[in-house]
Amino acid sequence: MQSFISPENHLVLFAIITGAAAFGIYSEHKKWFGKVSGILVTMISMSVLSMTGVVPVASKPEINVEVYNLVFDYFIPLAIPLMLFSSNLVKIIKESGKLLLAYIIGAIGIVLGSFLAFYLIDLGADSGNTAGVITATLIGGSVNFVATAEILNFSTNPLFTATVAIDNFAANLYVLLLFLVPSIALLKRFFSPSNDTNHEAEDPDTKTENKKGITLERIAVSLFIAVLIAGTGTVLAPFVQKLVHTELNMSILLITILAVLAANLFPKPLKALEQSAFSLGLWLMYIFLATIGAASNMQDILRVGMPVLAFYLTIMFFHLVFMLALAKLFKLDVYEVIISSAANIMGPSVAAPMAASLGQKKMITPAILVGILGYIIGTFIGVSIALILS
């Protein structure tokens, strides 16, 4: 079926894609759809437009849509380094305290839970790749979700779009459960007594936050560094692929490695660019996922949705049980467990506000730091899981 907007009408198509991304971001900010993520709003918007014939369907090989190709080829390689400028391992290890230990325990629980879900729930031939993508996003976040899918050549699979649709729903259910944990008397025996962390403690980054605003200069420098990292990774990728004899998308993996190296070799200059870089990287991520939405078939999503939800819930349940089982052994209190678990499942953007809302002011910065650690390790762990299970 011929779409209303021709594949050759590049600027109009790009306007619609950027409009869907802006709609998703704006709707999340305004809470128009409750707690539904802006990413999901963006993807569903584009999916509806593609299914109704307004825009070309991205998944049809006989249709060449240059705008879609542009996004697929360039936007993720640039988004990944931009979102990893804050990946300073030294700072994470030095300042995150016991929350780092709790986070690592939680990450191990997610990995073990992924193996359990894989053997309990059959998602078909791509179960291994799906397990890897889900593991990556539960340890890291959206950046790891997309990067892992790209490395595994999995981003146009119906299971990928179903996973995006389920991800926000399952994670929101889990976070609601975490808020209930401190009030469940039956669970108190699993935790060490809580330390007094309810007094006010100033976030060390607060003083300098106003000095790190988004400026044209910082956007320009951030984008240049991202292009340099992405270009270097792309040049090195064919040599590495030949060396290790693999069909994986090594360019994305190398870009991730180079971005983490840059963040740790040059922490001070990249720290000043962090806010501008992350905002730009997130926008690129939204554009990419809008384009993925144009390839989504809602019937496929509904068909495989429930097994994917069961996969998610199995991993999350095992993760929480695993953390509860080890909390007493490692002398973790209830707040260290639930805040680190939120950093695992939802990332720093949820873990930090959770720490604040629970009155655990001293845990706000560590929650951000361990969440950033997830950005660093999530992709590598997710790809490893996929390779083991595939």
Side-chain angles (χ1 to χ4, degrees), residues 116-377:
L116 177 64
F118 176 82
Y119 289 111
L120 290 179
I121 301 163
D122 183 15
L123 294 179
D126 287 309
S127 289
N129 285 341
T130 308
V133 170
I134 293 174
T135 302
T137 192
L138 292 182
I139 288 177
S142 297
V143 62
N144 305 95
F145 187 101
V146 175
T148 303
E150 283 291 286
I151 292 167
L152 299 172
N153 300 309
F154 183 63
S155 58
T156 56
N157 191 295
L159 281 171
F160 173 79
T161 49
T163 304
V164 172
I166 296 298
D167 181 69
N168 182 69
F169 174 73
N172 282 340
L173 282 180
Y174 184 79
V175 170
L176 289 175
L177 172 63
L178 288 181
F179 274 109
L180 294 175
V181 168
S183 62
I184 300 175
L186 186 64
L187 298 179
K188 289 183 179 179
R189 59 178 147 173
F190 291 101
F191 305 109
S192 292
S194 298
N195 295 319
D196 181 18
T197 56
N198 291 317
H199 59 276
E200 294 289 331
E202 186 178 18
D203 185 345
D205 290 331
T206 301
K207 294 180 180 179
T208 56
E209 188 62 34
N210 293 331
K211 298 179 182 179
K212 297 170 186 170
I214 299 172
T215 67
L216 180 60
E217 177 190 354
R218 286 169 180 154
I219 289 173
V221 175
S222 298
L223 192 55
F224 167 71
I225 294 170
V227 172
L228 187 62
I229 291 171
T232 304
T234 304
V235 169
L236 294 176
F239 301 103
V240 176
Q241 281 178 305
K242 287 181 181 179
L243 186 65
V244 298
H245 306 289
T246 182
E247 294 182 0
L248 296 178
N249 189 342
M250 293 302 294
S251 62
I252 298 295
L253 197 59
L254 286 170
I255 288 166
T256 304
I257 293 170
L258 291 171
V260 173
L261 282 175
N264 286 275
L265 291 174
F266 310 103
K268 287 185 178 180
L270 291 188
K271 180 66 178 174
L273 302 172
E274 177 185 324
Q275 189 176 343
S276 299
F278 190 87
S279 297
L280 183 56
L282 188 60
W283 179 79
L284 292 171
M285 185 78 73
Y286 266 84
I287 298 294
F288 175 81
L289 290 169
T291 309
I292 290 292
S296 302
N297 186 317
M298 293 302 290
Q299 291 179 338
D300 286 339
I301 292 174
L302 294 173
R303 178 174 54 82
V304 299
M306 290 308 295
V308 172
L309 177 60
F311 208 97
Y312 261 98
L313 295 179
T314 300
I315 296 172
M316 290 173 173
F317 179 74
F318 184 88
H319 156 80
L320 183 58
V321 170
F322 187 76
M323 293 196 77
L324 291 174
L326 295 181
K328 200 77 170 180
L329 176 63
F330 290 98
K331 298 180 180 179
L332 302 174
D333 68 38
V334 62
Y335 298 111
E336 288 164 342
V337 168
I338 65 174
I339 291 168
S340 61
S341 182
N344 275 130
I345 302 300
M346 292 287 276
S349 61
V350 170
M354 175 181 279
S357 68
L358 293 171
Q360 306 301 304
K361 304 298 183 182
K362 282 188 175 180
M363 292 190 189
I364 294 174
T365 299
I368 294 170
L369 293 173
V370 296
I372 291 170
L373 177 63
Y375 293 160
I376 301 172
I377 65 175

Side-chain angles (χ1 to χ4, degrees), residues 22-69:
F23 177 60
I25 294 168
Y26 193 71
S27 70
E28 183 170 316
H29 176 70
K30 293 293 184 180
K31 304 294 182 186
W32 285 345
F33 304 101
K35 293 187 177 181
V36 176
S37 75
I39 285 174
L40 189 57
V41 172
T42 293
M43 291 190 70
I44 290 175
S45 301
M46 284 301 295
S47 180
V48 169
L49 290 175
S50 67
M51 286 191 300
T52 54
V54 176
V55 299
V57 180
S59 57
K60 288 186 177 179
E62 69 273 12
I63 302 175
N64 181 40
V65 186
E66 291 184 16
V67 171
Y68 295 164
N69 295 337

